[in-house]
Amino acid sequence: MNIKLEKKNLFLYGLIAVLLILDIIIIGIRLHSKNISYSKLIFENSSYQTQKLKAVNNNASKSLIKKGYAYYKFNEQQKDILKTLYKESNFSISVKIGVKNFKNNKYNLLMQSEQIFYYGLLYEEDFDKKGNSVISNGSALCGTDLRNFYQNSSKDSMFEVGYALEKNLDESRMPSGIAVYSSSPVVIYDFYVKPVVVGFDFSSSIPFFGLASNGGSFGSKDYRFDFSGASMVFPVENTLYSVMPVYQVSFSPVKDYGSPDNQVMVKSSFSGQRINFRRSKNNNPVEIQSSTLQNPYGFVEFNENSSQVEKCLLVSNDKELLPHAPNKVFKALKTDPGFILNSKIENWRVKNYEVYEWNVFPHILFFDTLDYDVQGRFFTRLAFFAEKTGFKGRILTNEEIGDMHGYNAHDYSAETLARFFTLAMRTPDVLNEEELILLDILLQNGLIKKEGNDFVPVEGAVISISRDSQKWLRHNFIAHEAWHGIFFIDEAFRNAVAAVYYTVDDNTMGFIKGFWASQPSLGYDQDDEFLMKNEFMAYIMQQRLYGDGGVASYFVHCSNRKSVFETIPELSDWVRSTGGQTFEDAGRALNEYAFDRWGLACGRVSLIDVY
């Protein structure tokens, strides 16, 4: 009996010991878990693994903050990762927040007074020497009133807010932690290290707000945002080592986008510069190169039809857009043609030219050159090769070109460019430096490619205007040449042009061809039917459809030129007697087609009006 009792006692003592050990482990886990955050640190677009943060206080170890501060600290490994990422590129640290909603009386009670929320970063000096407690609240500079997000509902609302680090920080000024404060219940989800972004984005179910390193307020959906602090985050000029950022603006779809004479617009102000966004059925997003604005960083406000705006974000441009040398830049800046005409030469990436890509029509490139001399070095040899009567298909030497002039504005298809450079490469030492730069631009932007010893077209076109042209001429030139660009790449448009071209009367066609022949500087090959359709369309669509300066008045003006009426007097008299009406009729058909397809119109190849 004593032996049995002794065995039972031993078993009982062993069981108690095991339970005590388990209790100690559980207590240890609980004590340790208080030092681990509920929220994760996620490194977007990176191979670094998701990690937990140190919870400096009790709020940070839980998902729900009923009220007060939650403090988080980076460990040494996380600090090293942040330093490594910062050396590669500036970044933002954002947090995703769930706002606890209440219904009826509780909702009404919350809405009666301000509900404060702060978010910011902590630095080494904000912690005590052991790093176990916070002695100051750090730079809690991003703030909102949570009433901007409350709903009379039992489901949570959510938002994400990001804080961008200041550029050119010393390693010693890298953040060491994060602070979150709320005066009413919120759920803290995860933190994200992502490419730096400033602005707002309502395009998804979780609205995003990105603040610059000077912080500020966020959350009210009034479609206004202060981007002035972005100068502390992004480059303020284009250099060999930096490219200014780009605004990304997008809109919700609209069923009715108006008519050519009364197009629906979203009107805005970028630091006082008026910018109107024309709506079209294609609902194209817009890229605004900050370098093309009069003041790149300032207060942005959308007013008329502002509820159609889904996002306005300022993001870094790709590093491949950097110049390759002080006089060479290859990759094009994507934007709308409306921003090209009045962009600041001082903000060009290189001195003599800037190159853009049409955001609506990929691979259509716009060259803006400092003067006609620069433009000529890029394109005069091409002009004779592509279009000039008696020279087509030949690569002229510099001696043969001499003082001959190409054009003051240019357009060339990918097919023509591929043929030109294929032949030029078989003609030793014929190309100048600018033409070799042009070849690199075409290859790097995907208009042509190398196959064996030849260049073959991919898609697209090149357009060029110059700062030597007067402002009104630049406007007409960019419209004229841009319509050529669309003609090159879009077969349906070519068919629509052909339908109009073949239905105009003999007098109309006779006058326009006689007008071209009367201008020796043009030198169009009138046996080239593709060229004739293309030029017929562009001369009609380069100016607005109606009124003074419209299509009809333009051709009446042409008929009054001495060189024209001396060459074709009867046809000139006929144009004046009809008031140019037949040209306007042709323009009306093309205008309706262009507006229905793209929201464009005669005299306007831009969806943006910039003032």
Side-chain angles (χ1 to χ4, degrees):
M1 293 290 294
N2 290 334
I3 294 174
K4 289 183 178 180
L5 181 60
E6 187 175 331
K7 287 183 177 180
K8 286 183 179 179
N9 287 339
L10 288 172
F11 176 77
L12 182 60
Y13 294 150
L15 180 60
I16 291 171
V18 170
L19 292 174
L20 285 172
I21 292 170
L22 289 174
D23 283 343
I24 291 171
I25 292 172
I26 290 170
I27 291 170
I29 291 172
R30 287 179 176 174
L31 288 172
H32 179 70
S33 65
K34 286 186 177 181
N35 294 325
I36 301 299
S37 69
Y38 172 85
S39 307
K40 298 185 293 292
L41 182 64
I42 299 171
F43 300 95
E44 287 193 353
N45 304 321
S46 170
S47 60
Y48 293 109
Q49 293 183 345
T50 297
Q51 301 187 20
K52 292 282 189 176
L53 297 168
K54 178 182 178 180
V56 180
N57 64 347
N58 189 47
N59 270 343
S61 66
K62 301 178 293 186
S63 62
L64 176 66
I65 299 179
K66 292 184 178 179
K67 185 176 182 180
Y69 277 99
Y71 296 122
Y72 306 83
K73 195 173 193 304
F74 303 133
N75 62 34
E76 292 305 315
Q77 181 190 21
Q78 291 161 356
K79 290 180 184 178
D80 288 341
I81 292 173
L82 294 177
K83 289 176 183 177
T84 300
L85 292 174
Y86 188 78
K87 287 178 182 177
E88 297 172 358
S89 180
N90 195 3
F91 57 78
S92 296
I93 300 177
S94 69
V95 61
K96 199 168 288 186
I97 297 293
V99 180
K100 300 300 292 183
N101 284 318
F102 298 94
K103 298 185 70 175
N104 304 327
N105 291 337
K106 286 188 175 181
Y107 169 80
N108 293 332
L109 185 63
L110 279 173
M111 295 298 288
Q112 288 177 10
S113 60
E114 186 179 25
Q115 304 296 322
I116 298 172
F117 176 89
Y118 286 125
Y119 170 65
L121 302 180
L122 297 170
Y123 298 85
E124 281 302 315
E125 62 267 25
D126 297 317
F127 295 93
D128 65 11
K129 292 182 178 180
K130 293 183 178 180
N132 293 325
S133 63
V134 174
I135 57 179
S136 71
N137 295 329
S139 55
L141 298 176
C142 306
T144 191
D145 184 342
L146 290 176
R147 289 179 296 178
N148 291 315
F149 303 98
Y150 283 138
Q151 299 174 11
N152 192 349
S153 170
S154 58
K155 295 183 178 180
D156 291 357
S157 305
M158 291 188 71
F159 68 85
E160 183 178 353
V161 56
Y163 184 98
L165 270 65
E166 188 175 348
K167 63 188 178 185
N168 302 324
L169 282 176
D170 185 83
E171 276 193 7
S172 62
R173 294 306 304 155
M174 294 296 288
S176 296
I178 297 169
V180 178
Y181 172 83
S182 182
S183 63
S184 56
V186 296
V187 175
I188 300 180
Y189 289 97
D190 295 319
F191 298 97
Y192 300 84
V193 178
K194 58 174 59 180
V196 62
V197 58
V198 177
F200 63 85
D201 185 352
F202 304 135
S203 62
S204 68
S205 58
I206 302 175
F208 171 84
F209 305 89
L211 281 294
S213 56
N214 65 334
S217 60
F218 67 93
S220 56
K221 200 170 182 179
D222 55 6
Y223 305 96
R224 297 185 296 170
F225 201 88
D226 186 0
F227 286 92
S228 57
S231 61
M232 303 170 65
V233 176
F234 297 105
V236 296
E237 61 181 348
N238 286 326
T239 70
L240 283 172
Y241 313 103
S242 63
V243 181
M244 296 173 69
V246 57
Y247 285 91
Q248 296 176 342
V249 183
S250 66
F251 308 93
S252 57
V254 289
K255 292 182 179 179
D256 180 13
Y257 48 94
S259 64
D261 300 323
N262 187 26
Q263 195 164 358
V264 174
M265 298 186 198
V266 174
K267 296 185 177 182
S268 70
S269 169
F270 278 64
S271 304
Q273 186 176 7
R274 289 190 298 130
I275 298 176
N276 296 340
F277 301 85
R278 294 176 177 268
R279 302 306 316 277
S280 69
K281 68 178 181 182
N282 297 318
N283 197 37
N284 302 297
V286 177
E287 288 85 9
I288 304 174
Q289 297 296 333
S290 61
S291 60
T292 65
L293 298 175
Q294 295 305 305
N295 182 2
Y297 307 116
F299 193 79
V300 173
E301 179 177 14
F302 295 89
N303 32 67
E304 188 173 319
N305 291 320
S306 61
S307 62
Q308 296 178 18
V309 179
E310 286 189 334
K311 73 176 180 181
C312 181
L313 296 176
L314 187 59
V315 302
S316 297
N317 258 316
D318 199 297
K319 289 182 179 179
E320 66 180 4
L321 295 167
L322 286 168
H324 288 250
N327 65 334
K328 294 180 183 179
V329 64
F330 297 149
K331 292 293 287 186
L333 297 168
K334 187 175 290 188
T335 196
D336 182 279
F339 293 102
I340 298 173
L341 290 173
N342 299 312
S343 65
K344 297 166 70 173
I345 295 177
E346 296 82 0
N347 284 343
W348 285 2
R349 291 172 293 166
V350 291
K351 178 182 177 181
N352 285 339
Y353 69 96
E354 185 58 279
V355 58
Y356 306 91
E357 181 180 25
W358 201 340
N359 63 319
V360 175
F361 299 99
H363 302 294
I364 293 185
L365 305 184
F366 293 88
F367 279 73
D368 200 0
T369 64
L370 186 65
D371 53 40
Y372 289 145
D373 287 339
V374 174
Q375 186 182 50
R377 293 196 295 273
F378 271 110
F379 298 110
T380 292
R381 204 184 321 269
L382 250 170
F384 283 89
F385 173 85
E387 294 182 358
K388 296 282 190 177
T389 301
F391 301 99
K392 283 182 65 175
R394 290 178 53 203
I395 302 288
L396 300 185
T397 65
N398 292 334
E399 291 73 21
E400 288 177 306
I401 292 176
D403 294 331
M404 291 192 296
H405 182 63
Y407 302 112
N408 291 343
H410 297 257
D411 63 272
Y412 305 104
S413 68
E415 289 77 10
T416 296
L417 293 162
R419 286 190 290 107
F420 173 81
F421 282 106
T422 295
L423 182 57
M425 286 296 136
R426 295 170 184 166
T427 310
D429 302 323
V430 70
L431 297 181
N432 62 34
E433 182 180 7
E434 284 78 11
E435 289 163 332
L436 291 171
I437 292 173
L438 174 59
L439 175 58
D440 279 326
I441 290 171
L442 300 175
L443 291 169
Q444 294 203 27
N445 289 280
L447 278 73
I448 64 176
K449 63 181 180 180
K450 189 79 180 289
E451 283 190 2
N453 294 323
D454 295 339
F455 295 100
V456 296
V458 180
E459 64 175 328
V462 162
I463 290 157
S464 175
I465 57 174
S466 170
R467 290 292 169 132
D468 263 352
S469 299
Q470 293 175 302
K471 187 175 181 178
W472 69 271
L473 267 177
R474 282 170 57 79
H475 183 276
N476 276 7
F477 282 158
I478 203 168
H480 180 105
E481 307 302 343
W483 286 120
H484 281 322
I486 300 174
F487 187 88
F488 288 140
I489 68 168
D490 194 284
E491 183 179 6
F493 183 50
R494 291 196 296 271
N495 292 337
V497 170
V500 175
Y501 181 87
Y502 288 125
T503 55
V504 298
D505 62 90
D506 291 342
N507 283 343
T508 300
M509 189 58 65
F511 175 81
I512 198 168
K513 287 187 174 182
F515 160 59
W516 292 334
S518 71
Q519 308 301 304
S521 62
L522 295 178
Y524 296 143
D525 180 1
Q526 297 198 12
D527 293 328
D528 185 338
E529 190 166 310
F530 183 92
L531 177 63
M532 290 297 96
K533 293 174 187 174
N534 199 355
E535 294 298 342
F536 165 80
M537 172 276 302
Y539 272 86
I540 288 175
M541 298 189 76
Q542 70 184 7
Q543 56 274 308
R544 64 180 180 271
L545 185 58
Y546 300 115
D548 186 31
V551 175
S553 65
Y554 171 77
F555 283 97
V556 170
H557 171 76
C558 290
S559 72
N560 287 323
R561 291 188 192 180
K562 182 179 180 181
S563 59
V564 178
F565 67 70
E566 285 183 349
T567 304
I568 44 173
E570 293 181 0
L571 288 172
S572 296
D573 287 341
W574 175 80
V575 169
R576 288 192 291 273
S577 68
T578 60
Q581 186 61 48
T582 57
F583 295 98
E584 185 179 291
D585 293 340
R588 188 179 301 109
L590 295 171
N591 195 62
E592 291 174 358
Y593 179 89
F595 185 79
D596 184 61
R597 279 283 306 274
W598 306 295
L600 306 178
C602 285
R604 180 179 54 77
V605 292
S606 172
L607 286 171
I608 316 291
D609 298 335
V610 183
Y611 301 95

